[in-house]
């Protein structure tokens, strides 16, 4: 069968890499892909949100499966259009995708389905929003309602900070339309956890758990990013925790969506915090995480394409248990100088060292492209992910770090403390 992966990040490179290993697959395409996917699949120059051309391509190539990588594809309605034309799609329709694209929709759903989450209120007016935050001493998270590429959350520790965050969104419109409605919620404390569930709209199969590192710099300094690294399995997260997430968060969400007419087929990602009073849901995403996919997929020994087909066709109930490598994995993002500040980043810089990647490290490309005469150049904030398996988390980390150090371009930086907690714990 022919499979199309939609998107162009390291997540999509990892998806392509996994699809190519499937016995069910004769050819893999990636739209639009990047400098890495072009080496193992055929890149097609169609944007991830270009609904019309993706459907045309699916018809022309008689695709057996389309996997939606980024939220932009979900939100553009690529899933709806492909399903309407009779294709198997691993990724939800736009309506179900509101669980990611609208934080107020997600919070309302959590409330209705009794899913544990932070206390919150939705606001469009600054005065009541500031008052709600100030009653909590300004210790709140202020969130733009709409998609903001992982950057629409401001964590505040004082009334000055919460006033400034609320004003930035509701008065100064610094987040555009995404921030015209905001969610203000109580601050939670504890380690974070990502559990990705594959669902067919009814059953849910959890993937191996991961922990994502959202801040740009070591020791959680610097701004929030799309994710600077991840590892699996995270310290202190056993099967019982994952089961609790499936039973109290993922399955109730999937059932609530279905009950309101928004069946969800694809990956539902729960971003959680393990607080002293139990598991709390911070957010849902309607897709694989990036960089969680680069950490989780190398541990998956089962056929991803078979799993995705079962999800897309509504047949997860009879699907055999997933097989996982007992090895740990660590994924480290190598980023452009000044990431995540798009305006301050310089792109088009030559990338060196990829021919000398040490054995054991996998390089998944994100912001890379081939430029005639120059070779591979940087083309985004997150440039590549270096991922590795190891008998221990420490071994996986050493291998992933060795890979990351080999990727050289002007201003390249990466976190050196991804998964370090596991050696100390
Ligand atoms: P989100 O985009 O909702 O996942 O938020 C991005 C990051 O902000 C999360 O990964 C957390 O680190 C942080 N965050 C979000 N909500 C809260 C909260 N209620 N309390 C503490 N930190 C939060
Ligand atoms: N790693 C967080 C995300 O994919 O949204």
């Amino acid at each position: 069968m022919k499979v199309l992966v939609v998107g162009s990040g390291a997540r999509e490179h990892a998806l392509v890499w996994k699809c190519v290993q499937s016995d069910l697959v004769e050819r893999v395409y990636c739209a639009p892909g990047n400098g890495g996917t072009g080496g193992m699949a055929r890149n097609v120059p169609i944007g991830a949100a270009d609904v019309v051309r993706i459907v045309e391509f699916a018809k022309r190539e008689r695709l057996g499966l389309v996997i939606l990588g980024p939220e932009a594809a979900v939100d553009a309605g690529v899933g709806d259009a492909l399903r309407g034309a009779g294709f198997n799609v691993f990724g939800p329709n736009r309506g179900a995708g509101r669980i990611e694209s609208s934080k107020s929709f997600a919070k309302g759903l959590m409330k209705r389905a009794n899913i544990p989450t932070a206390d919150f209120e939705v606001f469009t007016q600054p005065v009541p929003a500031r008052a709600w935050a100030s009653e909590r001493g300004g210790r709140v998270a202020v969130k733009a309602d709409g998609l903001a590429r992982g950057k629409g959350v401001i964590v505040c520790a004082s009334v000055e900070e919460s006033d400034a965050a609320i004003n930035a969104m509701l008065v100064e419109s610094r987040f555009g339309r995404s921030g015209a409605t905001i969610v203000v919620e109580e601050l939670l404390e504890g380690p974070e956890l990502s559990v990705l569930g594959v669902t067919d709209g009814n059953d849910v199969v959890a993937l191996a758990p991961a922990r994502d590192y959202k801040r740009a710099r070591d020791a959680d300094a610097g701004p929030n990013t799309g994710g600077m690294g991840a590892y699996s399995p995270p310290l202190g997260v056993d099967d019982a925790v994952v089961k609790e997430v499936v039973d109290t968060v993922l399955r109730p969400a999937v059932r609530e969506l279905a009950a309101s007419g928004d069946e969800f087929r694809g990956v539902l990602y729960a971003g959680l915090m393990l607080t002293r009073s139990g598991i709390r849901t911070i957010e849902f995403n309607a897709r694989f995480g990036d960089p969680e996919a680069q950490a989780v997929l190398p541990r998956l020994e089962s056929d991803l394409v078979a799993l995705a087909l079962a999800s897309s066709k509504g047949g997860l109930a009879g699907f055999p248990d997933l097989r996982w490598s007992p090895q740990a994995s660590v994924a480290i993002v190598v980023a452009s100088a000044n990431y995540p500040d798009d305006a301050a980043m310089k792109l088009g810089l030559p990338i060196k060292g990829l021919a000398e990647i040490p054995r054991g490290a996998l390089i998944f490309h994100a912001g890379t492209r081939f430029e005639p005469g120059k070779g591979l150049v940087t083309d985004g904030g997150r440039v590549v992910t270096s991922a590795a398996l190891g008998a221990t988390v420490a071994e996986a980390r050493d291998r992933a770090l060795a890979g990351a150090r080999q990727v050289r371009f002007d201003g390249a930086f990466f976190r050196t403390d991804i998964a370090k907690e596991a050696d100390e714990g």
Side-chain angles (χ1 to χ4, degrees), residues 212 214 226-227 269 283 285 287-292:
D212 178 23
K214 290 226 168 63
Y269 159 142
E283 64 161 350
N285 290 320
R287 50 171 174 82
F288 280 97
D290 185 340
E292 286 91 333

mmCIF file of all heavy atoms in Angstrom, residues 212 214 226-227 269 283 285 287-292, ligand 2:
data_model
loop_
_atom_site.group_PDB
_atom_site.id
_atom_site.type_symbol
_atom_site.label_atom_id
_atom_site.label_comp_id
_atom_site.label_asym_id
_atom_site.label_seq_id
_atom_site.Cartn_x
_atom_site.Cartn_y
_atom_site.Cartn_z
ATOM 1 N N ASP A 212 8.467 15.321 28.285
ATOM 2 C CA ASP A 212 8.912 16.350 27.346
ATOM 3 C C ASP A 212 9.553 17.481 28.147
ATOM 4 O O ASP A 212 9.152 17.734 29.278
ATOM 5 C CB ASP A 212 7.644 16.851 26.623
ATOM 6 C CG ASP A 212 7.909 17.973 25.644
ATOM 7 O OD1 ASP A 212 9.042 18.109 25.169
ATOM 8 O OD2 ASP A 212 6.943 18.709 25.331
ATOM 9 N N LYS A 214 9.995 21.405 27.928
ATOM 10 C CA LYS A 214 9.458 22.500 27.109
ATOM 11 C C LYS A 214 10.324 23.747 27.114
ATOM 12 O O LYS A 214 10.264 24.551 26.185
ATOM 13 C CB LYS A 214 8.057 22.857 27.598
ATOM 14 C CG LYS A 214 7.026 21.765 27.297
ATOM 15 C CD LYS A 214 5.754 22.353 26.706
ATOM 16 C CE LYS A 214 4.848 21.278 26.133
ATOM 17 N NZ LYS A 214 4.346 20.319 27.110
ATOM 18 N N GLY A 226 8.339 24.572 21.582
ATOM 19 C CA GLY A 226 7.541 23.419 21.157
ATOM 20 C C GLY A 226 8.000 22.128 21.811
ATOM 21 O O GLY A 226 7.303 21.124 21.756
ATOM 22 N N GLY A 227 9.186 22.128 22.418
ATOM 23 C CA GLY A 227 9.746 20.915 23.045
ATOM 24 C C GLY A 227 11.200 20.765 22.648
ATOM 25 O O GLY A 227 11.528 20.805 21.466
ATOM 26 N N TYR A 269 -3.309 12.992 22.544
ATOM 27 C CA TYR A 269 -2.132 13.169 23.406
ATOM 28 C C TYR A 269 -2.592 13.898 24.649
ATOM 29 O O TYR A 269 -3.163 14.984 24.555
ATOM 30 C CB TYR A 269 -1.128 13.957 22.585
ATOM 31 C CG TYR A 269 -0.018 14.733 23.251
ATOM 32 C CD1 TYR A 269 1.233 14.761 22.655
ATOM 33 C CD2 TYR A 269 -0.180 15.464 24.422
ATOM 34 C CE1 TYR A 269 2.276 15.493 23.201
ATOM 35 C CE2 TYR A 269 0.858 16.194 24.979
ATOM 36 C CZ TYR A 269 2.071 16.198 24.365
ATOM 37 O OH TYR A 269 3.091 16.930 24.902
ATOM 38 N N GLU A 283 -3.274 19.686 29.115
ATOM 39 C CA GLU A 283 -3.756 19.966 27.754
ATOM 40 C C GLU A 283 -3.942 18.664 26.997
ATOM 41 O O GLU A 283 -3.429 17.620 27.386
ATOM 42 C CB GLU A 283 -2.739 20.826 26.992
ATOM 43 C CG GLU A 283 -1.415 20.091 26.787
ATOM 44 C CD GLU A 283 -0.539 20.655 25.686
ATOM 45 O OE1 GLU A 283 -0.991 21.519 24.914
ATOM 46 O OE2 GLU A 283 0.607 20.201 25.570
ATOM 47 N N ASN A 285 -3.540 17.241 22.891
ATOM 48 C CA ASN A 285 -3.177 17.518 21.512
ATOM 49 C C ASN A 285 -3.822 16.444 20.641
ATOM 50 O O ASN A 285 -4.042 15.320 21.101
ATOM 51 C CB ASN A 285 -1.651 17.508 21.330
ATOM 52 C CG ASN A 285 -1.005 18.702 22.021
ATOM 53 O OD1 ASN A 285 -1.536 19.814 21.983
ATOM 54 N ND2 ASN A 285 0.108 18.484 22.673
ATOM 55 N N ARG A 287 -2.740 14.808 18.034
ATOM 56 C CA ARG A 287 -1.675 14.326 17.137
ATOM 57 C C ARG A 287 -0.537 13.792 17.993
ATOM 58 O O ARG A 287 -0.550 13.942 19.211
ATOM 59 C CB ARG A 287 -1.160 15.516 16.336
ATOM 60 C CG ARG A 287 -0.844 16.642 17.336
ATOM 61 C CD ARG A 287 -0.127 17.827 16.793
ATOM 62 N NE ARG A 287 -0.011 18.861 17.811
ATOM 63 C CZ ARG A 287 0.900 18.915 18.762
ATOM 64 N NH1 ARG A 287 1.826 17.988 18.845
ATOM 65 N NH2 ARG A 287 0.914 19.881 19.651
ATOM 66 N N PHE A 288 0.470 13.203 17.343
ATOM 67 C CA PHE A 288 1.683 12.826 18.055
ATOM 68 C C PHE A 288 2.369 14.078 18.591
ATOM 69 O O PHE A 288 2.328 15.132 17.949
ATOM 70 C CB PHE A 288 2.681 12.164 17.106
ATOM 71 C CG PHE A 288 2.402 10.719 16.802
ATOM 72 C CD1 PHE A 288 1.723 10.367 15.653
ATOM 73 C CD2 PHE A 288 2.840 9.720 17.657
ATOM 74 C CE1 PHE A 288 1.480 9.026 15.353
ATOM 75 C CE2 PHE A 288 2.599 8.379 17.365
ATOM 76 C CZ PHE A 288 1.925 8.037 16.225
ATOM 77 N N GLY A 289 3.062 13.955 19.727
ATOM 78 C CA GLY A 289 3.895 15.052 20.217
ATOM 79 C C GLY A 289 5.203 15.112 19.451
ATOM 80 O O GLY A 289 5.658 14.120 18.903
ATOM 81 N N ASP A 290 5.781 16.281 19.426
ATOM 82 C CA ASP A 290 7.112 16.488 18.868
ATOM 83 C C ASP A 290 7.895 17.213 19.961
ATOM 84 O O ASP A 290 7.513 18.343 20.299
ATOM 85 C CB ASP A 290 7.005 17.346 17.605
ATOM 86 C CG ASP A 290 8.344 17.505 16.892
ATOM 87 O OD1 ASP A 290 9.383 17.302 17.532
ATOM 88 O OD2 ASP A 290 8.330 17.832 15.694
ATOM 89 N N PRO A 291 8.842 16.629 20.636
ATOM 90 C CA PRO A 291 9.663 15.467 20.278
ATOM 91 C C PRO A 291 9.258 14.131 20.890
ATOM 92 O O PRO A 291 10.028 13.174 20.772
ATOM 93 C CB PRO A 291 11.042 15.874 20.813
ATOM 94 C CG PRO A 291 10.742 16.649 22.058
ATOM 95 C CD PRO A 291 9.450 17.382 21.774
ATOM 96 N N GLU A 292 8.053 14.009 21.469
ATOM 97 C CA GLU A 292 7.698 12.707 22.052
ATOM 98 C C GLU A 292 7.742 11.586 21.005
ATOM 99 O O GLU A 292 8.177 10.469 21.303
ATOM 100 C CB GLU A 292 6.293 12.750 22.668
ATOM 101 C CG GLU A 292 6.205 13.507 23.982
ATOM 102 C CD GLU A 292 5.875 14.969 23.797
ATOM 103 O OE1 GLU A 292 6.192 15.530 22.723
ATOM 104 O OE2 GLU A 292 5.291 15.564 24.718
HETATM 105 N N1 LIG B 2 5.933 18.341 22.752
HETATM 106 C C1 LIG B 2 4.733 19.051 22.877
HETATM 107 C C2 LIG B 2 3.882 19.025 21.691
HETATM 108 O O1 LIG B 2 4.090 18.286 20.746
HETATM 109 O O2 LIG B 2 2.928 19.786 21.682
#
